[in-house]
Amino acid sequence: MKVSRVGVVGLGGIGRVHIGGWRELGAELHGFDELPESRAVAQEDLGLQVHPDLASLLRSVDVVDVCTPTDTHAPLALAALRAGKPVVCEKPLARTLEEADELIAASEQAGVPLFTAQVVRFMPEYASARDAVAAGKIGRPGVMRFTREGGMPNPQGWYHDMARSAGIIGDVMIHDIDFARWLAGDVVRVYAKLMRPAGPQNGPTHAYAILTHVGGTISHLTASWARQGGSFRTSYELAGSEGMIDYASDQRPVVQTIPGTLAAPAGSSFGSSFTRELAEFRAAIEGGPQPRVTAHDGRAALAVALAAVTSAQTGQAVELPVSATPYEGSAPVAAEVASA
Ligand SMILES: NC(=O)c1ccc[n+]([C@@H]2O[C@H](COP(=O)([O-])OP(=O)(O)OC[C@H]3O[C@@H](n4cnc5c(N)ncnc54)[C@H](O)[C@@H]3O)[C@@H](O)[C@H]2O)c1
């Protein structure tokens, strides 16, 4: 099918970024937000066709792009799938695994595609590192570190409500969980710590997790909303049997490897990565190749994130099964790691 008309549901922070991406791709844009004031502002600012309700949007578009708070992803995406519309859904795919399973089942039953927008896979500084790992440039991945740190989002907002967002682990760390899994395969064990205020939900929040991948690679992940006043920054360090790749957004905007140097495009790739992501989803809907990230990957990342939340709550490590549909893409890495 041809994707000409796109309906973005949720006209807040990330909805606006997606609208910019779809606009670059030449789509006719429609929008819906549950808040009348958001609809009015979007109509004024963004020049898209704003609908008074979801049903009206569903009647008018080829594809639905869900950009609402995490706990609303499943009901909105289900309504779209049941209306026969392919769905792009912001990460996390859903708030619970039951919801994620329901979405995947609905997509498969209806034969309508469902995509999870794990945008980090589309950032050149991340994608190039993954290509290098998959090509064996660092040998067998041994220990990987990832950080993702910024200031606290709106203190009154839904992000701080664990029941809505799964907190910083479900919202922020899930980016690196997905990326780590893309590099080293399924996660079989998680241990995590979460620091967050006990009372009003607007104090510093910081999470740390250790993942054990199926072949024995270890990932260390830090996610923080404790950098008050500081700029957002991310980093990784991928150490393998033959070399290392490291990157830090605020220090070395070029990916480095030992031995040799791996140049990746410098500077922020934030907006264009979303456009690349949406273009890949659009191509898949139009009959092109499967995109680099699937709904099953979104479900797997959510499973690890929720296990990390459980570990942080109980103080115990959580074991996870290898998924029935393991990720595809870095098979050479997975095979090498698994045989180690
Ligand atoms: N990929 C990324 O880098 C990235 C970055 C930020 C947010 N996100 C994800 O995007 C989603 C939205 O985050 P945000 O920061 O844009 O949130 P936001 O609060 O800025 O915007 C959400 C919008 O959705 C609207 N909304 C809420 N419930 C709705 C419903 N049932 N129907 C229609 N509209 C509804 C709200 O009124 C609001 O305008 C979250 O799942 C978040 O995890 C991803």
Side-chain angles (χ1 to χ4, degrees):
M1 71 171 282
K2 188 98 184 94
V3 176
S4 306
R5 304 165 303 160
V6 174
V8 176
V9 182
L11 304 173
I14 210 67
R16 287 168 173 256
V17 177
H18 282 225
I19 286 166
W22 286 117
R23 183 159 279 142
E24 259 188 79
L25 298 174
E28 176 187 309
L29 278 158
H30 296 249
F32 169 65
D33 194 290
E34 69 169 7
L35 292 181
E37 54 270 32
S38 298
R39 295 203 293 272
V41 170
Q43 181 107 47
E44 177 81 16
D45 285 5
L46 305 173
L48 72 172
Q49 194 172 323
V50 174
H51 293 262
D53 52 52
L54 183 65
S56 164
L57 176 130
L58 291 178
R59 283 193 299 274
S60 310
V61 301
D62 305 314
V63 171
V64 173
D65 184 355
V66 176
C67 294
T68 54
T70 300
D71 61 322
T72 65
H73 289 181
L76 292 166
L78 267 181
L81 290 169
R82 286 176 181 155
K85 308 295 174 182
V87 170
V88 173
C89 183
E90 253 304 342
K91 44 57 63 178
L93 178 59
R95 173 59 186 85
T96 68
L97 288 182
E98 291 73 21
E99 289 173 344
D101 288 339
E102 199 181 356
L103 285 178
I104 290 171
S107 154
E108 289 173 355
Q109 274 160 21
V112 176
L114 167 69
F115 303 104
T116 184
Q118 296 281 171
V119 72
V120 167
R121 294 194 189 204
F122 298 84
M123 296 183 168
E125 54 275 37
Y126 284 80
S128 58
R130 191 268 179 181
D131 285 348
V133 171
K137 289 205 174 152
I138 63 164
R140 184 164 56 82
V143 178
M144 312 196 293
R145 293 181 188 278
F146 307 88
T147 64
R148 191 162 295 271
E149 306 172 332
M152 197 173 45
N154 174 7
Q156 269 71 50
W158 62 270
Y159 277 105
H160 299 281
D161 182 347
M162 288 290 284
R164 300 202 67 192
S165 67
I168 192 167
I169 294 175
D171 199 78
V172 177
M173 188 180 276
I174 198 165
H175 284 296
D176 291 312
I177 290 172
D178 175 64
F179 184 59
R181 183 175 166 274
W182 199 30
L183 294 167
D186 276 340
V187 173
V188 293
R189 190 170 194 269
V190 183
Y191 178 74
K193 286 277 186 193
L194 172 62
M195 189 190 80
R196 67 193 286 267
Q201 299 179 332
N202 59 357
T205 303
H206 198 82
Y208 175 72
I210 306 173
L211 316 182
T212 306
H213 296 267
V214 64
T217 305
I218 300 291
S219 288
H220 297 248
L221 298 92
T222 301
S224 186
W225 282 331
R227 270 176 64 77
Q228 296 305 73
S231 58
F232 180 71
R233 69 179 182 195
T234 73
S235 70
Y236 60 71
E237 183 184 283
L238 315 174
S241 54
E242 310 288 330
M244 189 172 89
I245 307 175
D246 72 320
Y247 163 79
S249 61
D250 59 348
Q251 291 167 27
R252 298 179 295 272
V254 170
V255 179
Q256 307 195 331
T257 63
I258 298 171
T261 298
L262 173 72
S268 168
S269 59
F270 188 74
S272 57
S273 301
F274 284 90
T275 307
R276 243 187 321 280
E277 170 184 61
L278 298 173
E280 206 164 299
F281 293 153
R282 180 180 68 175
I285 294 166
E286 292 184 339
Q290 176 161 280
R292 71 189 75 179
V293 60
T294 66
H296 287 282
D297 293 319
R299 197 262 186 213
L302 178 65
V304 177
L306 295 180
V309 171
T310 301
S311 172
Q313 286 167 343
T314 62
Q316 303 295 314
V318 176
E319 310 284 335
L320 287 159
V322 176
S323 65
T325 48
Y327 74 94
E328 293 172 16
S330 67
V333 175
E336 187 186 353
V337 171
S339 65

